[in-house]
Structure formats: structure tokens, C-alpha cells
Amino acid sequence: MSSSVQSKDAATNPRGIPYAPFVDKVEDYVSSRAEVDGTMKSFQEMISKYQFMEVNTQRRMAGLKDKIPDIQKTLDTVRFLKTRTPDSDPIETTFELNDTLYAKANIAPTEEVYLWLGANVMLAYPIPEAETLLEGKLKAAKDNLGNCEKDLDFLREQFTTLEVATARVYNWDVTQKRKEKAEHGDHGDNEDEKIAPNG
């Protein structure tokens, strides 16, 4: 393996996903046909790892897409409560207890709100602190969603790079087999030795 390929292989994107090796000249990457099987196997292992990362990233994206509207809705509610003055009349509203269960409540002007932090933990916050906290959570969730989208694009590029690398190594192996057969005077065609596309 050449040093240029090693340094490219060691590089990662900002979230630590490694670049797939770019095989420009197969001879720099595989010195003999004996190394072809090991190289192809390592490419398949890398593809499996990228597929695993892709599934995890898609799952994280789905969670963020569910979470962002909830944070936004909570932030909008906190901002509404912030506009209420101490002498405002109580307002009647319905609030969600569960997915399909709502209850009515009279909400008097308040200086604090209770926020779920997860893991069955709820804390009281002064309204300005709650607003700041929710704005930070919303920004972080949107940033994470943007990073997930970038990571999925990056992973697709790595799949393409590995497909091209696999095709090039395979085609190089087929060419070497043909050269060896020609040198030994065996000109029989083999259906298994068709050149792969992308090479």
C-alpha cells in the first residue's frame, strides 16, 4: 500500500468518518495478484462499516426530525407565556397528557415553567432561562440534523469511491490473468473474467 493511499485512508470528515481509499493506479495499491483477495475483502468490510454508519445516521436523522417540532412547539409556548403580565387573566387551554389524551387547564400568569429533560427528570426554570435553554437545544438539534445530512452525502461518496476501487482492482486482476494465460499459451475464454464496469 502506498503512503499516499495510507494518508488518504487515515483522513476523516469533521465527524470522524474515514475517507474510502481512492485507487488511482492499482499497481500502487496491489503489488501482486496474491494481494487481490485480501484487498477485495478489506473493501467489502469497509462497505459494511459504511452501511452500518448510514443506518445509524438515518436513524439519528429520523429522531431529530421528530424532536425538532416538539422543541419548537415548547419554545413557542414559553415565548407566549413570557408575554403574559402579572395582571393578565388566566387562560383556558388544553394540554397533551399522552398521544391521544388531552386535559383542560386554566393557566394564570407565571414566572416559571417546568421542562422535561429526559430520563423522567423535570425541572423548574424561570421563563427567560427556559427560553434560552430551548433556543440552545433547538439550534443544536438543527445543527445535528444538518450534520447528519452532510454525513449521508459523504457516505454516498465513499460508497461510490469503493465501488470504483473494487472495479479497478477486479479489472486489474482479470488483465493480469489474461497476461499470464497469454504467456503460457492458454487462450481459452473464461466467462468469469469479464471486465467489470466503472474501471
Side-chain angles (χ1 to χ4, degrees), residues 85-171:
T85 59
D87 58 343
S88 299
D89 292 332
I91 54 169
E92 185 178 291
T93 186
T94 56
F95 64 96
E96 188 178 359
L97 291 173
N98 205 334
D99 288 340
T100 57
L101 183 61
Y102 290 81
K104 284 189 176 180
N106 286 316
I107 301 175
T110 181
E111 302 271 322
E112 65 180 14
V113 293
Y114 292 80
L115 298 178
W116 284 110
L117 299 181
N120 294 325
V121 175
M122 178 185 270
L123 284 180
Y125 286 90
I127 285 179
E129 281 184 33
E131 184 179 22
T132 302
L133 175 72
L134 290 166
E135 284 171 345
K137 284 186 172 290
L138 184 61
K139 182 183 182 308
K142 286 180 175 177
D143 288 348
N144 287 337
L145 182 61
N147 287 339
C148 285
E149 288 167 353
K150 288 176 188 171
D151 285 347
L152 283 177
D153 288 341
F154 179 80
L155 285 166
R156 287 186 199 106
E157 288 173 12
Q158 305 322 299
F159 282 129
T160 302
T161 301
L162 278 172
E163 285 168 4
V164 171
T166 301
R168 285 183 175 168
V169 172
Y170 176 82
N171 289 344

Side-chain angles (χ1 to χ4, degrees), residues 54-98:
E54 182 182 42
V55 169
N56 282 343
T57 304
Q58 288 170 338
R59 192 176 297 134
R60 196 162 65 246
M61 261 184 89
L64 288 165
K65 284 180 178 178
D66 287 342
K67 189 178 181 181
I68 287 171
D70 287 342
I71 298 172
Q72 184 66 62
K73 188 167 64 172
T74 305
L75 179 58
D76 291 342
T77 303
V78 167
R79 284 174 175 162
F80 171 74
L81 291 173
K82 187 179 177 182
T83 65
R84 313 262 302 146
T85 59
D87 58 343
S88 299
D89 292 332
I91 54 169
E92 185 178 291
T93 186
T94 56
F95 64 96
E96 188 178 359
L97 291 173
N98 205 334

